[in-house]
Amino acid sequence: MRKPGTGWHLCFEELRCKPVSLPRPFSMPEPSAKPASNPLTILHTEASDAWGGQEIRILSEALWMREQGHRIILVTPGEGQLFKNAQEAGLEVESLALAKKTQLGDFFAMRRLLRRYQPQVVATHSSVDSWVGLLAARSCRIRTVRFRHVSTGVGAHSLNRIQYGKLADAVVTTGNCIGQQ
């Protein structure tokens, strides 16, 4: 158990002690009138086939990035709700299993997708898709961003140090309490 004031305890303490004004759920800033001066091709990965807060946030941010002028490609399991909703929203979507048992095959399939789309950035969101996406992107010399959506602590073992410290060029957290871990 973590000491109070560290890790996830800090997150709940901050919420309990400070008044928090929350924006409308999953709202994004209004798009700027001026598109990005140097638009990027960004390939996002997500292994989940569920539909919840993390998946809604990924779709919302992908749509916002597209409104800013960037080209967005989402790689996610084809049977999942995120795939269906992203397709309905007009995003470029590719189906890939992104499961523990298919990681080796997914790695080679991801490399093919990276060669086809030639993104400047690969953004990963969950554990399995992060291993596949970060390793494939590194092998193709593409910049990487690892998103962290959950407030549970990141274990201190060597594999996490590799994923968060060596494979990811940047780590983006969805809340201050996550970033402090």
PDB file of all heavy atoms in Angstrom, residues 88-121:
ATOM      1  N   GLU A  88     -17.630   5.988 -38.241  1.00  0.00           N
ATOM      2  CA  GLU A  88     -18.823   6.826 -38.432  1.00  0.00           C
ATOM      3  C   GLU A  88     -18.465   8.311 -38.423  1.00  0.00           C
ATOM      4  O   GLU A  88     -19.109   9.106 -39.102  1.00  0.00           O
ATOM      5  CB  GLU A  88     -19.860   6.539 -37.349  1.00  0.00           C
ATOM      6  CG  GLU A  88     -20.571   5.215 -37.506  1.00  0.00           C
ATOM      7  CD  GLU A  88     -21.496   4.906 -36.341  1.00  0.00           C
ATOM      8  OE1 GLU A  88     -21.789   5.825 -35.532  1.00  0.00           O
ATOM      9  OE2 GLU A  88     -21.924   3.746 -36.235  1.00  0.00           O
ATOM     10  N   ALA A  89     -17.447   8.679 -37.656  1.00  0.00           N
ATOM     11  CA  ALA A  89     -17.019  10.077 -37.571  1.00  0.00           C
ATOM     12  C   ALA A  89     -16.136  10.479 -38.754  1.00  0.00           C
ATOM     13  O   ALA A  89     -15.737  11.627 -38.865  1.00  0.00           O
ATOM     14  CB  ALA A  89     -16.275  10.318 -36.256  1.00  0.00           C
ATOM     15  N   GLY A  90     -15.814   9.517 -39.622  1.00  0.00           N
ATOM     16  CA  GLY A  90     -15.032   9.827 -40.807  1.00  0.00           C
ATOM     17  C   GLY A  90     -13.533   9.785 -40.627  1.00  0.00           C
ATOM     18  O   GLY A  90     -12.793  10.261 -41.484  1.00  0.00           O
ATOM     19  N   LEU A  91     -13.052   9.194 -39.523  1.00  0.00           N
ATOM     20  CA  LEU A  91     -11.614   9.049 -39.332  1.00  0.00           C
ATOM     21  C   LEU A  91     -11.093   7.876 -40.154  1.00  0.00           C
ATOM     22  O   LEU A  91     -11.836   6.929 -40.438  1.00  0.00           O
ATOM     23  CB  LEU A  91     -11.283   8.789 -37.864  1.00  0.00           C
ATOM     24  CG  LEU A  91     -11.338   9.977 -36.913  1.00  0.00           C
ATOM     25  CD1 LEU A  91     -11.083   9.518 -35.488  1.00  0.00           C
ATOM     26  CD2 LEU A  91     -10.332  11.046 -37.301  1.00  0.00           C
ATOM     27  N   GLU A  92      -9.820   7.938 -40.506  1.00  0.00           N
ATOM     28  CA  GLU A  92      -9.172   6.790 -41.126  1.00  0.00           C
ATOM     29  C   GLU A  92      -8.917   5.778 -40.008  1.00  0.00           C
ATOM     30  O   GLU A  92      -8.296   6.112 -38.998  1.00  0.00           O
ATOM     31  CB  GLU A  92      -7.845   7.196 -41.763  1.00  0.00           C
ATOM     32  CG  GLU A  92      -7.997   8.147 -42.931  1.00  0.00           C
ATOM     33  CD  GLU A  92      -6.655   8.532 -43.509  1.00  0.00           C
ATOM     34  OE1 GLU A  92      -5.989   7.652 -44.102  1.00  0.00           O
ATOM     35  OE2 GLU A  92      -6.276   9.707 -43.349  1.00  0.00           O
ATOM     36  N   VAL A  93      -9.420   4.550 -40.182  1.00  0.00           N
ATOM     37  CA  VAL A  93      -9.325   3.536 -39.143  1.00  0.00           C
ATOM     38  C   VAL A  93      -8.789   2.245 -39.745  1.00  0.00           C
ATOM     39  O   VAL A  93      -9.203   1.846 -40.831  1.00  0.00           O
ATOM     40  CB  VAL A  93     -10.697   3.268 -38.482  1.00  0.00           C
ATOM     41  CG1 VAL A  93     -10.539   2.388 -37.260  1.00  0.00           C
ATOM     42  CG2 VAL A  93     -11.403   4.549 -38.114  1.00  0.00           C
ATOM     43  N   GLU A  94      -7.873   1.610 -39.027  1.00  0.00           N
ATOM     44  CA  GLU A  94      -7.324   0.316 -39.419  1.00  0.00           C
ATOM     45  C   GLU A  94      -7.593  -0.684 -38.300  1.00  0.00           C
ATOM     46  O   GLU A  94      -7.459  -0.359 -37.122  1.00  0.00           O
ATOM     47  CB  GLU A  94      -5.811   0.411 -39.651  1.00  0.00           C
ATOM     48  CG  GLU A  94      -5.416   1.213 -40.859  1.00  0.00           C
ATOM     49  CD  GLU A  94      -5.641   0.465 -42.172  1.00  0.00           C
ATOM     50  OE1 GLU A  94      -5.836  -0.774 -42.159  1.00  0.00           O
ATOM     51  OE2 GLU A  94      -5.602   1.140 -43.207  1.00  0.00           O
ATOM     52  N   SER A  95      -7.978  -1.892 -38.679  1.00  0.00           N
ATOM     53  CA  SER A  95      -8.256  -2.950 -37.712  1.00  0.00           C
ATOM     54  C   SER A  95      -6.989  -3.764 -37.449  1.00  0.00           C
ATOM     55  O   SER A  95      -6.320  -4.204 -38.381  1.00  0.00           O
ATOM     56  CB  SER A  95      -9.354  -3.865 -38.262  1.00  0.00           C
ATOM     57  OG  SER A  95      -9.549  -4.955 -37.391  1.00  0.00           O
ATOM     58  N   LEU A  96      -6.679  -3.933 -36.176  1.00  0.00           N
ATOM     59  CA  LEU A  96      -5.558  -4.766 -35.761  1.00  0.00           C
ATOM     60  C   LEU A  96      -5.939  -5.341 -34.399  1.00  0.00           C
ATOM     61  O   LEU A  96      -6.453  -4.619 -33.540  1.00  0.00           O
ATOM     62  CB  LEU A  96      -4.284  -3.932 -35.675  1.00  0.00           C
ATOM     63  CG  LEU A  96      -2.948  -4.656 -35.668  1.00  0.00           C
ATOM     64  CD1 LEU A  96      -2.776  -5.537 -36.900  1.00  0.00           C
ATOM     65  CD2 LEU A  96      -1.813  -3.648 -35.602  1.00  0.00           C
ATOM     66  N   ALA A  97      -5.707  -6.644 -34.191  1.00  0.00           N
ATOM     67  CA  ALA A  97      -6.161  -7.314 -32.963  1.00  0.00           C
ATOM     68  C   ALA A  97      -5.602  -6.674 -31.698  1.00  0.00           C
ATOM     69  O   ALA A  97      -6.322  -6.471 -30.725  1.00  0.00           O
ATOM     70  CB  ALA A  97      -5.785  -8.797 -33.000  1.00  0.00           C
ATOM     71  N   LEU A  98      -4.328  -6.363 -31.680  1.00  0.00           N
ATOM     72  CA  LEU A  98      -3.672  -5.748 -30.522  1.00  0.00           C
ATOM     73  C   LEU A  98      -4.007  -6.474 -29.221  1.00  0.00           C
ATOM     74  O   LEU A  98      -4.458  -5.886 -28.248  1.00  0.00           O
ATOM     75  CB  LEU A  98      -4.025  -4.259 -30.427  1.00  0.00           C
ATOM     76  CG  LEU A  98      -3.513  -3.400 -31.579  1.00  0.00           C
ATOM     77  CD1 LEU A  98      -4.096  -1.998 -31.512  1.00  0.00           C
ATOM     78  CD2 LEU A  98      -2.001  -3.350 -31.601  1.00  0.00           C
ATOM     79  N   ALA A  99      -3.773  -7.786 -29.231  1.00  0.00           N
ATOM     80  CA  ALA A  99      -3.987  -8.614 -28.046  1.00  0.00           C
ATOM     81  C   ALA A  99      -2.659  -9.258 -27.663  1.00  0.00           C
ATOM     82  O   ALA A  99      -1.758  -9.394 -28.493  1.00  0.00           O
ATOM     83  CB  ALA A  99      -5.028  -9.694 -28.349  1.00  0.00           C
ATOM     84  N   LYS A 100      -2.535  -9.664 -26.396  1.00  0.00           N
ATOM     85  CA  LYS A 100      -1.277 -10.259 -25.936  1.00  0.00           C
ATOM     86  C   LYS A 100      -0.872 -11.450 -26.806  1.00  0.00           C
ATOM     87  O   LYS A 100       0.281 -11.604 -27.149  1.00  0.00           O
ATOM     88  CB  LYS A 100      -1.398 -10.693 -24.483  1.00  0.00           C
ATOM     89  CG  LYS A 100      -1.307  -9.549 -23.511  1.00  0.00           C
ATOM     90  CD  LYS A 100      -1.313 -10.033 -22.088  1.00  0.00           C
ATOM     91  CE  LYS A 100      -1.220  -8.834 -21.165  1.00  0.00           C
ATOM     92  NZ  LYS A 100      -1.181  -9.226 -19.766  1.00  0.00           N
ATOM     93  N   LYS A 101      -1.845 -12.269 -27.173  1.00  0.00           N
ATOM     94  CA  LYS A 101      -1.506 -13.482 -27.924  1.00  0.00           C
ATOM     95  C   LYS A 101      -1.132 -13.198 -29.377  1.00  0.00           C
ATOM     96  O   LYS A 101      -0.589 -14.059 -30.055  1.00  0.00           O
ATOM     97  CB  LYS A 101      -2.656 -14.494 -27.860  1.00  0.00           C
ATOM     98  CG  LYS A 101      -3.934 -14.008 -28.492  1.00  0.00           C
ATOM     99  CD  LYS A 101      -5.051 -15.013 -28.321  1.00  0.00           C
ATOM    100  CE  LYS A 101      -6.321 -14.455 -28.916  1.00  0.00           C
ATOM    101  NZ  LYS A 101      -7.435 -15.327 -28.734  1.00  0.00           N
ATOM    102  N   THR A 102      -1.396 -11.993 -29.870  1.00  0.00           N
ATOM    103  CA  THR A 102      -1.090 -11.670 -31.268  1.00  0.00           C
ATOM    104  C   THR A 102      -0.004 -10.608 -31.405  1.00  0.00           C
ATOM    105  O   THR A 102       0.215 -10.081 -32.488  1.00  0.00           O
ATOM    106  CB  THR A 102      -2.359 -11.181 -32.002  1.00  0.00           C
ATOM    107  OG1 THR A 102      -2.828  -9.974 -31.372  1.00  0.00           O
ATOM    108  CG2 THR A 102      -3.448 -12.225 -31.998  1.00  0.00           C
ATOM    109  N   GLN A 103       0.699 -10.295 -30.312  1.00  0.00           N
ATOM    110  CA  GLN A 103       1.645  -9.177 -30.322  1.00  0.00           C
ATOM    111  C   GLN A 103       2.727  -9.287 -31.391  1.00  0.00           C
ATOM    112  O   GLN A 103       3.040  -8.299 -32.040  1.00  0.00           O
ATOM    113  CB  GLN A 103       2.306  -9.000 -28.953  1.00  0.00           C
ATOM    114  CG  GLN A 103       1.447  -8.210 -27.990  1.00  0.00           C
ATOM    115  CD  GLN A 103       2.131  -7.998 -26.674  1.00  0.00           C
ATOM    116  OE1 GLN A 103       2.605  -8.940 -26.055  1.00  0.00           O
ATOM    117  NE2 GLN A 103       2.183  -6.754 -26.233  1.00  0.00           N
ATOM    118  N   LEU A 104       3.298 -10.453 -31.595  1.00  0.00           N
ATOM    119  CA  LEU A 104       4.373 -10.572 -32.579  1.00  0.00           C
ATOM    120  C   LEU A 104       3.842 -10.281 -33.986  1.00  0.00           C
ATOM    121  O   LEU A 104       4.426  -9.485 -34.728  1.00  0.00           O
ATOM    122  CB  LEU A 104       5.021 -11.956 -32.523  1.00  0.00           C
ATOM    123  CG  LEU A 104       6.206 -12.158 -33.466  1.00  0.00           C
ATOM    124  CD1 LEU A 104       7.317 -11.150 -33.172  1.00  0.00           C
ATOM    125  CD2 LEU A 104       6.726 -13.586 -33.364  1.00  0.00           C
ATOM    126  N   GLY A 105       2.731 -10.900 -34.358  1.00  0.00           N
ATOM    127  CA  GLY A 105       2.127 -10.627 -35.664  1.00  0.00           C
ATOM    128  C   GLY A 105       1.680  -9.185 -35.787  1.00  0.00           C
ATOM    129  O   GLY A 105       1.815  -8.560 -36.851  1.00  0.00           O
ATOM    130  N   ASP A 106       1.139  -8.630 -34.688  1.00  0.00           N
ATOM    131  CA  ASP A 106       0.702  -7.228 -34.692  1.00  0.00           C
ATOM    132  C   ASP A 106       1.877  -6.285 -34.910  1.00  0.00           C
ATOM    133  O   ASP A 106       1.747  -5.249 -35.563  1.00  0.00           O
ATOM    134  CB  ASP A 106       0.002  -6.867 -33.377  1.00  0.00           C
ATOM    135  CG  ASP A 106      -1.361  -7.515 -33.227  1.00  0.00           C
ATOM    136  OD1 ASP A 106      -1.914  -7.985 -34.245  1.00  0.00           O
ATOM    137  OD2 ASP A 106      -1.865  -7.549 -32.092  1.00  0.00           O
ATOM    138  N   PHE A 107       3.046  -6.633 -34.350  1.00  0.00           N
ATOM    139  CA  PHE A 107       4.237  -5.807 -34.538  1.00  0.00           C
ATOM    140  C   PHE A 107       4.567  -5.674 -36.030  1.00  0.00           C
ATOM    141  O   PHE A 107       4.790  -4.570 -36.531  1.00  0.00           O
ATOM    142  CB  PHE A 107       5.428  -6.411 -33.782  1.00  0.00           C
ATOM    143  CG  PHE A 107       6.746  -5.807 -34.126  1.00  0.00           C
ATOM    144  CD1 PHE A 107       7.122  -4.582 -33.596  1.00  0.00           C
ATOM    145  CD2 PHE A 107       7.610  -6.448 -35.006  1.00  0.00           C
ATOM    146  CE1 PHE A 107       8.349  -4.007 -33.924  1.00  0.00           C
ATOM    147  CE2 PHE A 107       8.834  -5.891 -35.336  1.00  0.00           C
ATOM    148  CZ  PHE A 107       9.199  -4.663 -34.792  1.00  0.00           C
ATOM    149  N   PHE A 108       4.581  -6.791 -36.751  1.00  0.00           N
ATOM    150  CA  PHE A 108       4.907  -6.744 -38.175  1.00  0.00           C
ATOM    151  C   PHE A 108       3.800  -6.052 -38.976  1.00  0.00           C
ATOM    152  O   PHE A 108       4.085  -5.289 -39.909  1.00  0.00           O
ATOM    153  CB  PHE A 108       5.202  -8.148 -38.705  1.00  0.00           C
ATOM    154  CG  PHE A 108       6.491  -8.695 -38.161  1.00  0.00           C
ATOM    155  CD1 PHE A 108       6.489  -9.709 -37.218  1.00  0.00           C
ATOM    156  CD2 PHE A 108       7.713  -8.168 -38.571  1.00  0.00           C
ATOM    157  CE1 PHE A 108       7.683 -10.202 -36.697  1.00  0.00           C
ATOM    158  CE2 PHE A 108       8.911  -8.645 -38.055  1.00  0.00           C
ATOM    159  CZ  PHE A 108       8.892  -9.667 -37.117  1.00  0.00           C
ATOM    160  N   ALA A 109       2.545  -6.280 -38.599  1.00  0.00           N
ATOM    161  CA  ALA A 109       1.436  -5.586 -39.260  1.00  0.00           C
ATOM    162  C   ALA A 109       1.519  -4.077 -39.004  1.00  0.00           C
ATOM    163  O   ALA A 109       1.269  -3.273 -39.910  1.00  0.00           O
ATOM    164  CB  ALA A 109       0.096  -6.135 -38.770  1.00  0.00           C
ATOM    165  N   MET A 110       1.905  -3.687 -37.797  1.00  0.00           N
ATOM    166  CA  MET A 110       2.043  -2.265 -37.468  1.00  0.00           C
ATOM    167  C   MET A 110       3.163  -1.639 -38.291  1.00  0.00           C
ATOM    168  O   MET A 110       3.022  -0.523 -38.796  1.00  0.00           O
ATOM    169  CB  MET A 110       2.324  -2.089 -35.969  1.00  0.00           C
ATOM    170  CG  MET A 110       2.446  -0.646 -35.521  1.00  0.00           C
ATOM    171  SD  MET A 110       0.889   0.268 -35.615  1.00  0.00           S
ATOM    172  CE  MET A 110       0.010  -0.469 -34.249  1.00  0.00           C
ATOM    173  N   ARG A 111       4.260  -2.345 -38.453  1.00  0.00           N
ATOM    174  CA  ARG A 111       5.351  -1.819 -39.290  1.00  0.00           C
ATOM    175  C   ARG A 111       4.875  -1.584 -40.723  1.00  0.00           C
ATOM    176  O   ARG A 111       5.227  -0.576 -41.333  1.00  0.00           O
ATOM    177  CB  ARG A 111       6.548  -2.779 -39.283  1.00  0.00           C
ATOM    178  CG  ARG A 111       7.396  -2.665 -38.024  1.00  0.00           C
ATOM    179  CD  ARG A 111       8.603  -3.595 -38.068  1.00  0.00           C
ATOM    180  NE  ARG A 111       9.349  -3.525 -39.303  1.00  0.00           N
ATOM    181  CZ  ARG A 111      10.378  -2.701 -39.530  1.00  0.00           C
ATOM    182  NH1 ARG A 111      10.760  -1.867 -38.583  1.00  0.00           N
ATOM    183  NH2 ARG A 111      11.011  -2.729 -40.677  1.00  0.00           N
ATOM    184  N   ARG A 112       4.039  -2.484 -41.243  1.00  0.00           N
ATOM    185  CA  ARG A 112       3.492  -2.288 -42.594  1.00  0.00           C
ATOM    186  C   ARG A 112       2.604  -1.044 -42.637  1.00  0.00           C
ATOM    187  O   ARG A 112       2.669  -0.253 -43.585  1.00  0.00           O
ATOM    188  CB  ARG A 112       2.713  -3.525 -43.049  1.00  0.00           C
ATOM    189  CG  ARG A 112       3.607  -4.696 -43.417  1.00  0.00           C
ATOM    190  CD  ARG A 112       2.855  -5.831 -44.077  1.00  0.00           C
ATOM    191  NE  ARG A 112       1.861  -6.467 -43.237  1.00  0.00           N
ATOM    192  CZ  ARG A 112       2.118  -7.439 -42.356  1.00  0.00           C
ATOM    193  NH1 ARG A 112       3.345  -7.898 -42.210  1.00  0.00           N
ATOM    194  NH2 ARG A 112       1.144  -7.965 -41.645  1.00  0.00           N
ATOM    195  N   LEU A 113       1.782  -0.855 -41.602  1.00  0.00           N
ATOM    196  CA  LEU A 113       0.928   0.339 -41.547  1.00  0.00           C
ATOM    197  C   LEU A 113       1.776   1.610 -41.459  1.00  0.00           C
ATOM    198  O   LEU A 113       1.455   2.620 -42.096  1.00  0.00           O
ATOM    199  CB  LEU A 113      -0.030   0.259 -40.349  1.00  0.00           C
ATOM    200  CG  LEU A 113      -1.138  -0.778 -40.438  1.00  0.00           C
ATOM    201  CD1 LEU A 113      -1.886  -0.877 -39.107  1.00  0.00           C
ATOM    202  CD2 LEU A 113      -2.100  -0.444 -41.575  1.00  0.00           C
ATOM    203  N   LEU A 114       2.844   1.568 -40.689  1.00  0.00           N
ATOM    204  CA  LEU A 114       3.711   2.737 -40.559  1.00  0.00           C
ATOM    205  C   LEU A 114       4.381   3.071 -41.885  1.00  0.00           C
ATOM    206  O   LEU A 114       4.516   4.244 -42.243  1.00  0.00           O
ATOM    207  CB  LEU A 114       4.750   2.518 -39.456  1.00  0.00           C
ATOM    208  CG  LEU A 114       4.189   2.365 -38.037  1.00  0.00           C
ATOM    209  CD1 LEU A 114       5.311   2.056 -37.049  1.00  0.00           C
ATOM    210  CD2 LEU A 114       3.405   3.580 -37.615  1.00  0.00           C
ATOM    211  N   ARG A 115       4.780   2.060 -42.620  1.00  0.00           N
ATOM    212  CA  ARG A 115       5.379   2.314 -43.942  1.00  0.00           C
ATOM    213  C   ARG A 115       4.326   2.871 -44.908  1.00  0.00           C
ATOM    214  O   ARG A 115       4.626   3.727 -45.732  1.00  0.00           O
ATOM    215  CB  ARG A 115       6.013   1.044 -44.495  1.00  0.00           C
ATOM    216  CG  ARG A 115       7.342   0.724 -43.842  1.00  0.00           C
ATOM    217  CD  ARG A 115       8.145  -0.320 -44.594  1.00  0.00           C
ATOM    218  NE  ARG A 115       7.485  -1.610 -44.712  1.00  0.00           N
ATOM    219  CZ  ARG A 115       7.567  -2.597 -43.815  1.00  0.00           C
ATOM    220  NH1 ARG A 115       8.294  -2.421 -42.737  1.00  0.00           N
ATOM    221  NH2 ARG A 115       6.962  -3.734 -43.997  1.00  0.00           N
ATOM    222  N   ARG A 116       3.079   2.390 -44.797  1.00  0.00           N
ATOM    223  CA  ARG A 116       2.027   2.868 -45.693  1.00  0.00           C
ATOM    224  C   ARG A 116       1.648   4.318 -45.391  1.00  0.00           C
ATOM    225  O   ARG A 116       1.552   5.150 -46.282  1.00  0.00           O
ATOM    226  CB  ARG A 116       0.782   1.992 -45.582  1.00  0.00           C
ATOM    227  CG  ARG A 116      -0.333   2.467 -46.520  1.00  0.00           C
ATOM    228  CD  ARG A 116      -1.660   1.758 -46.390  1.00  0.00           C
ATOM    229  NE  ARG A 116      -1.565   0.358 -46.094  1.00  0.00           N
ATOM    230  CZ  ARG A 116      -2.523  -0.313 -45.460  1.00  0.00           C
ATOM    231  NH1 ARG A 116      -3.625   0.291 -45.056  1.00  0.00           N
ATOM    232  NH2 ARG A 116      -2.387  -1.605 -45.223  1.00  0.00           N
ATOM    233  N   TYR A 117       1.418   4.635 -44.113  1.00  0.00           N
ATOM    234  CA  TYR A 117       0.914   5.968 -43.747  1.00  0.00           C
ATOM    235  C   TYR A 117       2.022   6.993 -43.502  1.00  0.00           C
ATOM    236  O   TYR A 117       1.768   8.186 -43.535  1.00  0.00           O
ATOM    237  CB  TYR A 117       0.010   5.877 -42.520  1.00  0.00           C
ATOM    238  CG  TYR A 117      -1.314   5.213 -42.819  1.00  0.00           C
ATOM    239  CD1 TYR A 117      -1.612   3.955 -42.332  1.00  0.00           C
ATOM    240  CD2 TYR A 117      -2.269   5.861 -43.591  1.00  0.00           C
ATOM    241  CE1 TYR A 117      -2.835   3.350 -42.596  1.00  0.00           C
ATOM    242  CE2 TYR A 117      -3.489   5.274 -43.865  1.00  0.00           C
ATOM    243  CZ  TYR A 117      -3.760   4.016 -43.366  1.00  0.00           C
ATOM    244  OH  TYR A 117      -4.972   3.424 -43.629  1.00  0.00           O
ATOM    245  N   GLN A 118       3.208   6.544 -43.165  1.00  0.00           N
ATOM    246  CA  GLN A 118       4.353   7.407 -42.890  1.00  0.00           C
ATOM    247  C   GLN A 118       4.037   8.540 -41.905  1.00  0.00           C
ATOM    248  O   GLN A 118       4.229   9.723 -42.204  1.00  0.00           O
ATOM    249  CB  GLN A 118       4.913   7.969 -44.200  1.00  0.00           C
ATOM    250  CG  GLN A 118       5.396   6.887 -45.124  1.00  0.00           C
ATOM    251  CD  GLN A 118       5.986   7.422 -46.410  1.00  0.00           C
ATOM    252  OE1 GLN A 118       6.113   8.617 -46.617  1.00  0.00           O
ATOM    253  NE2 GLN A 118       6.367   6.519 -47.282  1.00  0.00           N
ATOM    254  N   PRO A 119       3.556   8.191 -40.711  1.00  0.00           N
ATOM    255  CA  PRO A 119       3.253   9.242 -39.732  1.00  0.00           C
ATOM    256  C   PRO A 119       4.522   9.874 -39.183  1.00  0.00           C
ATOM    257  O   PRO A 119       5.592   9.250 -39.180  1.00  0.00           O
ATOM    258  CB  PRO A 119       2.509   8.479 -38.626  1.00  0.00           C
ATOM    259  CG  PRO A 119       3.090   7.099 -38.696  1.00  0.00           C
ATOM    260  CD  PRO A 119       3.349   6.853 -40.162  1.00  0.00           C
ATOM    261  N   GLN A 120       4.387  11.113 -38.718  1.00  0.00           N
ATOM    262  CA  GLN A 120       5.494  11.752 -38.005  1.00  0.00           C
ATOM    263  C   GLN A 120       5.475  11.367 -36.528  1.00  0.00           C
ATOM    264  O   GLN A 120       6.491  11.442 -35.848  1.00  0.00           O
ATOM    265  CB  GLN A 120       5.415  13.286 -38.114  1.00  0.00           C
ATOM    266  CG  GLN A 120       5.815  13.833 -39.456  1.00  0.00           C
ATOM    267  CD  GLN A 120       4.659  13.783 -40.453  1.00  0.00           C
ATOM    268  OE1 GLN A 120       3.498  13.879 -40.088  1.00  0.00           O
ATOM    269  NE2 GLN A 120       5.002  13.611 -41.716  1.00  0.00           N
ATOM    270  N   VAL A 121       4.296  10.956 -36.023  1.00  0.00           N
ATOM    271  CA  VAL A 121       4.137  10.630 -34.608  1.00  0.00           C
ATOM    272  C   VAL A 121       3.241   9.395 -34.476  1.00  0.00           C
ATOM    273  O   VAL A 121       2.233   9.284 -35.177  1.00  0.00           O
ATOM    274  CB  VAL A 121       3.486  11.800 -33.829  1.00  0.00           C
ATOM    275  CG1 VAL A 121       3.280  11.435 -32.361  1.00  0.00           C
ATOM    276  CG2 VAL A 121       4.302  13.072 -33.953  1.00  0.00           C
TER     277      VAL A 121
END
